[in-house]
Amino acid sequence: MRKVLLVTGSRGEYGYIRPILKLLRGDAELEPHVIATNMHLLPEFGSSVREFQKDEIPVHESILMSLAGYTPESMAKSLGVLLMSLVDAFAREKPAWVLLAGDRGEQLMGAVAASYMNIPVAHIQAGELSGNIDGMARHAITKFVHLHFASNRDAAERLRRMGEEEFRIHTVGAPQLDGLTEPLAMSRQEVVAKYGVNHGAPFVLVLQHPVVEEMHLAGQQMQATLQAVVELDYNAVVIYPNNDAGSVPVQRAIENLRSPRIHVERTVSRDLFASLMASADAIVGNSSAGILEAPSFRLPAVNIGRRQEGRLQGANVINCGHDKEIIKEAMRKAVSSGFRRALAESANPYGDGRSSARIIEILKKTPVDDRLLVKRMTY
């Protein structure tokens, strides 16, 4: 048995690795070990580590790292705490592989620790673009890891242009789509009943995170989005943001919201999130879910601001700025019957729902030798 160690600090990353962890149950060759950290362990963000327990996926280590304040300084110091802790954890666990997913700082610390310890590292969602510090982290991760799992040809080509050797690049799709092929946990009727949705108005899912470089604007940006929903008198489920710098004013904007048609969740399970996307008329905000998962449901996505800037987009995405009236116009378009009809034959550019099996097979077949561990740039 070879140990595959996965580091995860947010509910979004859990969506990436959950299908892989489920497939690895009882596998004869690879044994998954999970390190949960950051938001998974924070009650104010819903203690999403409980999702592992509900899915009967063991968490082998829990690492507290997040300093209070949610400022650039606290983010940087928190990542330093995590880096030191991961070195100790990797030394204890002695994994055959470290498997990372996405573009957050926790993944970058995992890549730094493992590569300096000469442990092979593989990276899910490699080569994509993001519009803020996460994009910088993603491409820094590229230089530290040994295998790249790209979700599409656009990302794979970017990895080649970054000087990565061809044998390291595998176009496998996005594994978070794999779980979306499973039966929904709740029907639209059940979702409507749970949230008391009024049948006379559209139902939208709102998920908006702070952009670190615009943290001083994060609160008013969230207010503009929420005011647009309220003034349109739409039904909505609003989910709390991540804990990046600027999170506190976003949370305050949500807490100050008063509307009988809007329901707030600190976190939701992956199963409920899929049911919400299947039931909603649109997803609104700046979450990658609007870009990655929503196309699988042919769900219109109002993508606000720069957070997903440059990322490959499907036909479901409507881009707009942080202006209340512009957001309202984009939302009206998103929920219109004409726009929904136009998506009837659209495809998800991020995969076919069978990525996890490809990733596992590549990890099994890839020799861990000097060719893998000693990186050479092609430029």
Side-chain angles (χ1 to χ4, degrees), residues 331-357:
M331 290 172 65
R332 289 190 192 100
K333 178 180 178 180
V335 303
S336 68
S337 57
F339 189 77
R340 293 299 296 262
R341 282 197 302 271
L343 300 181
E345 302 299 324
S346 63
N348 192 326
Y350 286 89
D352 58 5
R354 296 191 292 272
S355 302
S356 299

Side-chain angles (χ1 to χ4, degrees), residues 253-272:
I254 295 172
E255 290 161 2
N256 292 334
L257 179 67
R258 295 291 181 269
S259 172
R261 288 199 177 184
I262 297 179
H263 301 267
V264 176
E265 298 275 16
R266 288 187 178 270
T267 190
V268 296
S269 70
R270 186 67 180 169
D271 289 338
L272 177 55

Side-chain angles (χ1 to χ4, degrees), residues 5-27:
L5 199 152
L6 301 95
V7 178
T8 174
S10 71
R11 62 192 175 219
E13 290 161 4
Y14 185 50
Y16 290 34
I17 65 175
R18 182 183 186 231
I20 298 170
L21 289 166
K22 286 187 171 184
L23 275 184
L24 284 175
R25 284 175 176 161
D27 191 272

Side-chain angles (χ1 to χ4, degrees), residues 104-376:
R104 291 187 56 79
E106 302 95 283
Q107 307 301 304
L108 177 58
M109 294 305 100
V112 171
S115 59
Y116 271 88
M117 296 174 73
N118 209 34
I119 300 169
V121 194
H123 181 210
I124 297 165
Q125 302 287 138
E128 292 177 23
L129 292 179
S130 308
N132 64 343
I133 187 66
D134 292 343
M136 296 165 64
R138 189 192 306 270
H139 296 315
I141 291 169
T142 297
K143 291 306 174 189
F144 283 101
V145 306
H146 306 94
L147 277 186
H148 311 288
F149 295 129
S151 61
N152 50 48
R153 285 182 291 179
D154 175 71
E157 180 56 30
R158 191 168 293 104
L159 291 165
R160 295 184 186 98
R161 295 201 302 270
M162 291 177 70
E164 295 301 301
E165 297 168 285
E166 188 66 35
F167 82 92
R168 302 183 186 277
I169 303 169
H170 301 271
T171 305
V172 298
Q176 62 266 48
L177 304 186
D178 296 9
L180 304 184
T181 62
E182 300 173 359
L184 292 170
M186 298 175 69
S187 67
R188 179 179 170 85
Q189 291 74 20
E190 290 171 321
V191 170
V192 164
K194 176 180 174 67
Y195 291 104
V197 172
N198 183 305
H199 293 278
F203 172 43
V204 298
L205 178 61
V206 180
L207 181 51
Q208 186 164 309
H209 302 293
V211 176
V212 173
E213 295 86 347
E214 299 175 348
M215 59 168 290
H216 60 291
L217 300 173
Q220 66 189 66
Q221 289 173 346
M222 190 64 184
Q223 287 173 6
T225 300
L226 295 174
Q227 286 170 3
V229 177
V230 170
E231 291 183 15
L232 288 172
D233 205 22
Y234 286 1
N235 301 286
V237 171
V238 180
I239 302 175
Y240 259 53
N242 62 31
N243 67 338
D244 287 348
S247 180
V248 171
V250 174
Q251 293 176 52
R252 285 177 182 157
I254 295 172
E255 290 161 2
N256 292 334
L257 179 67
R258 295 291 181 269
S259 172
R261 288 199 177 184
I262 297 179
H263 301 267
V264 176
E265 298 275 16
R266 288 187 178 270
T267 190
V268 296
S269 70
R270 186 67 180 169
D271 289 338
L272 177 55
F273 190 60
S275 297
L276 284 167
M277 285 194 290
S279 302
D281 295 300
I283 181 170
V284 179
N286 61 11
S287 168
S288 63
I291 310 294
L292 295 171
E293 288 103 322
S296 293
F297 297 96
R298 298 185 173 90
L299 176 66
V302 176
N303 179 54
I304 306 171
R306 56 175 282 191
R307 190 168 185 265
Q308 304 299 334
E309 195 172 77
R311 208 164 198 170
L312 183 67
Q313 297 181 349
N316 68 307
V317 179
I318 301 169
N319 296 295
C320 70
H322 290 284
D323 176 89
K324 181 185 67 174
E325 296 303 321
I326 293 174
I327 295 169
K328 287 165 66 174
E329 181 181 349
M331 290 172 65
R332 289 190 192 100
K333 178 180 178 180
V335 303
S336 68
S337 57
F339 189 77
R340 293 299 296 262
R341 282 197 302 271
L343 300 181
E345 302 299 324
S346 63
N348 192 326
Y350 286 89
D352 58 5
R354 296 191 292 272
S355 302
S356 299
R358 297 181 186 119
I359 290 170
I360 290 170
E361 188 63 22
I362 293 165
L363 290 177
K364 288 180 178 180
K365 288 185 174 180
T366 301
V368 177
D369 53 18
D370 281 350
R371 181 173 182 252
L372 179 73
L373 292 173
V374 181
K375 293 192 69 175
R376 295 174 176 84

